[in-house]
Amino acid sequence: MTDNALQQQTIGFGTWPFQDDEATAAVVSAIGVGYRLIDTASRYGNEAAVGRGIARSGVPREQLFVQTKLRGDDHERVGDALKSSLELLGVDYLDSWLIHWPLPMLGKYVDAFEQMLQARDEGLVRQIGVSNFLPEHLDALEERTGERPWTNQIQLDPGLRRDDLVAELRARDINIQAWSPLARGDVGQDAVSKIASDRGLAPAQVMLAWHAAIGSVPIVRSSNPDRQLQNLEAISIHLSDDELAAIAQQPQRELGDFDPRTHDER
Ligand SMILES: NC(=O)c1ccc[n+]([C@@H]2O[C@H](COP(=O)([O-])OP(=O)(O)OC[C@H]3O[C@@H](n4cnc5c(N)ncnc54)[C@H](OP(=O)(O)O)[C@@H]3O)[C@@H](O)[C@H]2O)c1
């Protein structure tokens, strides 16, 4: 697979909160069924176990898309953080490195982004992205560096549609990744269940097909190899305009504890 094809992954495998052998086994199995984008984070404490999974998968490194994240405590020690992630994962470059949370109360994310761009320019990372960023945070990055992150990984599912943010990311040509794309397994939402039962699909597949339809790359987790495959296959399911309109009627939740303006996770 070329670099270009790797960058166009339509689904990724999430590894939080797996630890130790469970993380390794989940990654081996996910790569075995066909995932190529593997998502982890320094904060998850599982980079070494995920790295063992990558090594044991038997798929050559250059055919995988390895993504990890800079934690809040590391906004001021970017070089050391990169060294640590590379060592733990057992790789000599990252395909994608994200700032995990902007942490505006700390006020260091623009400096961190600038240093991450430098690591990219030195060849240790292919692309620099962010997670949980709002337009005001993206503005601050662009004002200082003239660059936009390649992706923004945000909490997104049919019950948390975030239309304004999604439209803003599209307008800025920033790739959208979705975390908790299945609302952490809360797949029994009304419109989704009805479409699933009408079409003989799993509700999770309808949710993932919705992500594909809106141009979001779901970073989905399952410890179960059958569901890993079911989820992977969902990306090629097409939802009709009527089905998308029915999902759009679904009641919306609030961001709650995960508001990037206030969420303090280091
Ligand atoms: N950037 C951030 O701030 C951030 C925050 C949170 C998470 N993340 C990333 O996003 C990834 C995914 O989010 P998440 O783990 O919170 O939740 P999720 O992927 O929305 O949901 C995972 C849950 O759904 C269940 N599930 C998976 N496939 C299913 C299927 N086909 N049918 C029924 N249930 C199914 C899983 O159970 P089984 O294992 O039993 O299948 C698990 O309980 C994480 O692993 C992590 O990599 C990023």
Side-chain angles (χ1 to χ4, degrees), residues 141-166:
L141 298 183
E142 197 165 352
E143 272 160 28
R144 168 91 69 87
T145 65
E147 291 212 34
R148 294 175 181 169
W150 84 276
T151 193
N152 188 10
Q153 185 182 109
I154 58 172
Q155 187 183 13
L156 190 69
D157 69 74
L160 187 66
R161 251 184 5 245
R162 309 181 80 178
D163 292 337
D164 291 349
L165 180 56
V166 166

Side-chain angles (χ1 to χ4, degrees), residues 84-247:
S84 163
S85 286
L86 290 171
E87 273 174 22
L88 289 168
L89 282 160
V91 295
D92 52 17
Y93 68 93
L94 298 174
D95 294 278
S96 171
W97 195 23
L98 314 184
I99 302 180
H100 203 150
W101 285 91
L103 304 174
M105 68 296 282
L106 191 65
K108 295 292 175 196
Y109 65 90
V110 181
D111 294 344
F113 185 69
E114 205 165 30
Q115 288 177 54
M116 290 164 84
L117 292 176
Q118 208 175 318
R120 178 200 62 190
D121 294 344
E122 287 162 8
L124 296 170
V125 182
R126 296 268 155 91
Q127 303 193 84
I128 303 300
V130 296
S131 178
N132 302 301
F133 273 47
L134 299 175
E136 67 221 51
H137 309 127
L138 298 167
D139 287 342
L141 298 183
E142 197 165 352
E143 272 160 28
R144 168 91 69 87
T145 65
E147 291 212 34
R148 294 175 181 169
W150 84 276
T151 193
N152 188 10
Q153 185 182 109
I154 58 172
Q155 187 183 13
L156 190 69
D157 69 74
L160 187 66
R161 251 184 5 245
R162 309 181 80 178
D163 292 337
D164 291 349
L165 180 56
V166 166
E168 187 66 41
L169 294 173
R170 281 199 195 119
R172 293 175 192 233
D173 206 18
I174 295 173
N175 172 293
I176 301 167
Q177 291 185 6
W179 61 262
S180 297
L182 300 178
R184 298 233 154 119
D186 180 13
V187 293
Q189 302 163 12
D190 285 352
V192 166
S193 301
K194 177 159 183 343
I195 296 165
S197 102
D198 288 351
R199 292 190 47 180
L201 299 168
Q205 291 185 302
V206 175
M207 291 173 82
L208 295 168
W210 172 84
H211 282 280
I214 68 156
S216 139
V217 176
I219 305 297
V220 62
R221 165 196 30 125
S222 176
S223 53
N224 175 313
D226 292 338
R227 285 204 284 270
Q228 290 172 358
L229 181 59
Q230 183 180 67
N231 294 344
L232 192 67
E233 289 174 346
I235 286 302
S236 38
I237 294 169
H238 177 78
L239 296 178
S240 69
D241 290 347
D242 285 350
E243 288 168 334
L244 289 171
I247 294 174

Side-chain angles (χ1 to χ4, degrees), residues 21-90:
D21 290 351
E22 189 187 20
T24 303
V27 169
V28 170
S29 152
I31 294 174
V33 303
Y35 291 82
R36 291 297 175 263
L37 191 173
I38 305 298
D39 177 81
T40 180
S42 160
R43 173 103 174 111
Y44 302 163
N46 66 8
E47 287 175 307
V50 167
R52 284 193 289 279
I54 288 169
R56 282 182 206 166
S57 72
V59 172
R61 166 69 186 93
E62 64 276 11
Q63 291 178 22
L64 297 172
F65 189 95
V66 179
Q67 172 170 281
T68 190
K69 311 186 192 82
L70 181 82
R71 61 190 296 158
D73 277 345
D74 288 341
H75 282 198
E76 293 182 272
R77 44 185 303 279
V78 168
D80 288 346
L82 177 58
K83 195 163 168 262
S84 163
S85 286
L86 290 171
E87 273 174 22
L88 289 168
L89 282 160

